[in-house]
Amino acid sequence: MIEKIKNYYRRKALKKIIQTINRPIKSVSLNAAKYIGILYRIEEEKSYVILSNYVDKLLATGKILRIVGYHDHKYVPHYCIPKLKYDFFCQKEQNWVGIPNAPFVDEFVNEPFDMLIDLSMEPIFPLQYILAKSVARFKVGSRDAGKEKFLDMMIELDENHSVNDLVYFINDYTNKLNGE
């Protein structure tokens, strides 16, 4: 019963964001994007390592990044080392509905990213909320029922695909947008 009430308020919050958010949409390739935001779910240390490797590759190409990671437990794990432009939040930093209230979330959603990459593989409300509220010019991520209204480009993945596959397809497909 409580979960039904939460879901009602979650849908209501997302619907309100969709109606009020005003942002310019401009498709951009990953190569052309200079300022990139990344949303990510930290499930275990392995997923954090995958994120760190991807971030290192993007930084090596001169991109400016800002990363928000979510861990769906009470505390952020020890291996999530805070770095410059890395922010992490957990269940403790959201209200009873699941809306994140960590201080950096408002800054992140108001950043005019050239591209916002959502690397979550399934609908996770706190990340959906950030994705919906973001004013990024181009939003890319995996396709699922919970994120269709918030993404400008969706990548269809089978169940057996991983985050590494999603990263590959985002790189490949976005670079085809501008004929690169």
Side-chain angles (χ1 to χ4, degrees), residues 21 44 55 58 65 113 138:
I21 197 79
E44 55 193 29
V55 166
L58 290 174
L65 301 175
F113 298 115
F138 191 56

Side-chain angles (χ1 to χ4, degrees), residues 140-151:
V140 180
S142 67
R143 180 182 181 166
D144 61 54
K147 299 187 288 188
E148 291 174 335
K149 295 175 183 158
F150 318 125
L151 293 171

Side-chain angles (χ1 to χ4, degrees), residues 23-27 135-139 152:
R23 66 184 179 94
I25 300 171
K26 181 180 181 213
S27 65
V135 297
R137 291 183 190 99
F138 191 56
K139 300 176 187 180
D152 301 315

Side-chain angles (χ1 to χ4, degrees), residues 62-134:
K63 309 290 186 206
I64 300 168
L65 301 175
R66 179 108 190 248
I67 298 101
V68 169
Y70 172 68
H71 187 66
D72 55 3
H73 294 288
K74 282 190 175 185
Y75 300 98
V76 175
H78 65 87
Y79 51 80
C80 291
I81 303 161
K83 299 178 185 177
L84 192 62
K85 302 297 181 182
Y86 273 73
D87 291 304
F88 299 99
F89 71 102
C90 57
Q91 286 180 351
K92 208 167 98 172
E93 297 169 298
Q94 53 192 7
N95 69 12
W96 70 276
V97 176
I99 295 174
N101 56 19
F104 56 83
V105 171
D106 284 336
E107 294 171 22
F108 186 86
V109 299
N110 290 313
E111 290 289 336
F113 298 115
D114 296 325
M115 180 183 284
L116 177 59
I117 301 172
D118 177 21
L119 293 177
S120 60
M121 300 292 286
E122 66 277 331
I124 301 163
F125 179 75
L127 294 179
Q128 284 179 313
Y129 180 85
I130 294 170
L131 180 65
K133 203 165 181 184
S134 173

Side-chain angles (χ1 to χ4, degrees), residues 2 7 34-35 39 46 61 64 85 137 150 175:
I2 292 175
N7 285 334
K34 302 282 187 242
Y35 190 30
L39 289 174
K46 179 182 174 186
T61 63
I64 300 168
K85 302 297 181 182
R137 291 183 190 99
F150 318 125
N175 287 335

